[in-house]
Amino acid sequence: MKHINILQPIRVITLTALLIAVNIKAPAQTDFSVKLNHASVQGTSTLHDWESQITELSGKGAFLVKNNIITTIKNLELKIPVESIKSKEGKIMDNKTYDAFLYEKNPFITLTFSTTVVKTDPTKQVAMSAPGFLTMAEATRPVTLTVKGAVLANGDLQVFVSQKLKMTDFDMVPPKAVLGTIHVGDEITVSFDVILEKVKKQ
C-alpha cells in the first residue's frame, strides 16, 4: 500500500493562508492628540444672550486607519478645565460660571467615547454619530453627538460639533446675578472646531 503524507497538503494550506494574511491590509492604529481648537459655550439670560470661550482643551485617543482612510476612533477623551471658560463679561460672570460647575471639587469637564465608526465620502468629508459620556459638575450622563469634519491634506482630522444641553440635566443650578434679578437660561449650546493630529513617535 502506498503511504500518503497527509501533512503535506495541510502545510501548503497553512502557508497559503499566512501569505494571504500578510497581503491583506489590516486596520492600523495611530495615536492622536488635540492640535488646535476653537470652542465656545453660548446661552441666554433675562438680560441678554451671552457667549464664553473655551480657551484650553486637551484630548487623546486613537485612529484606526485602513487603506489610508480613517475608519474608527477609539478611546477618545476630551478634557476641559472649567477655569479655561472665559466670558466677555469679565470675572463676575466667570466666577458665577465656575461656581455652577462646582469647580473646586470638579475642576474638569470630560467627554469620553469608547468606539466611534467614521464614515468618509470620496471628498474626504467625515460624518459620525458618537455615543459616549459627558461629566460636568458632579454628574456623568450618556450623550450622543453628531460630528462632522474633514480629513486634511496632511492627514490631520478636523471635526465640528454643536450640541445643546440643559444644565439641570447635570444637577447644575443655572447662575444668577445682581441679587438674583438676572437669571441664566437652563439650555446652553457647546460648540467645538477641533483639529486632531497624529502623535509623532519618539
Side-chain angles (χ1 to χ4, degrees):
M1 178 181 294
K2 185 178 180 181
H3 178 70
I4 300 175
N5 186 355
I6 62 172
L7 294 179
Q8 184 65 25
I10 292 176
R11 290 194 187 100
V12 172
I13 293 171
T14 303
L15 180 59
T16 302
L18 287 172
L19 290 173
I20 292 172
V22 168
N23 287 316
I24 293 175
K25 292 185 177 180
Q29 181 167 301
T30 303
D31 293 338
F32 70 86
S33 62
V34 173
K35 180 179 182 180
L36 295 171
N37 102 87
H38 177 75
S40 64
V41 183
Q42 301 96 35
T44 62
S45 74
T46 51
L47 183 61
H48 54 66
D49 293 348
W50 56 270
E51 180 175 359
S52 295
Q53 301 299 316
I54 298 172
T55 61
E56 184 179 341
L57 183 149
S58 61
K60 60 182 180 180
F63 297 133
L64 284 183
V65 181
K66 185 176 182 181
N67 298 328
N68 296 319
I69 297 175
I70 298 169
T71 60
T72 309
I73 293 179
K74 297 186 67 177
N75 303 322
L76 171 66
E77 180 185 71
L78 297 178
K79 183 177 285 189
I80 301 167
V82 171
E83 290 185 286
S84 74
I85 301 173
K86 304 292 184 182
S87 167
K88 294 179 181 179
E89 306 300 322
K91 289 185 177 180
I92 293 178
M93 176 66 176
D94 291 344
N95 289 335
K96 293 289 184 181
T97 300
Y98 304 155
D99 288 342
F101 279 98
L102 306 174
Y103 77 104
E104 291 183 341
K105 291 184 178 180
N106 308 277
F108 294 98
I109 302 165
T110 58
L111 182 64
T112 58
F113 304 112
S114 56
T115 302
T116 303
V117 175
V118 179
K119 296 181 180 179
T120 307
D121 69 17
T123 65
K124 294 191 175 182
Q125 295 300 302
V126 167
M128 66 188 97
S129 179
F133 292 92
L134 176 63
T135 299
M136 300 196 305
E138 296 182 329
T140 299
R141 300 286 185 265
V143 294
T144 298
L145 303 183
T146 299
V147 183
K148 296 181 179 180
V151 179
L152 304 182
N154 63 356
D156 291 348
L157 178 64
Q158 185 172 17
V159 295
F160 309 92
V161 181
S162 182
Q163 183 77 16
K164 293 184 182 295
L165 302 167
K166 287 188 176 181
M167 287 185 278
T168 52
D169 287 344
F170 292 83
D171 303 327
M172 296 172 62
V173 178
K176 298 178 182 179
V178 191
L179 300 177
T181 59
I182 299 175
H183 297 251
V184 171
D186 186 16
E187 187 175 83
I188 58 175
T189 300
V190 183
S191 301
F192 294 97
D193 180 355
V194 178
I195 294 179
L196 307 174
E197 69 172 345
K198 297 176 184 178
V199 175
K200 296 179 180 178
K201 295 182 179 180
Q202 301 293 332

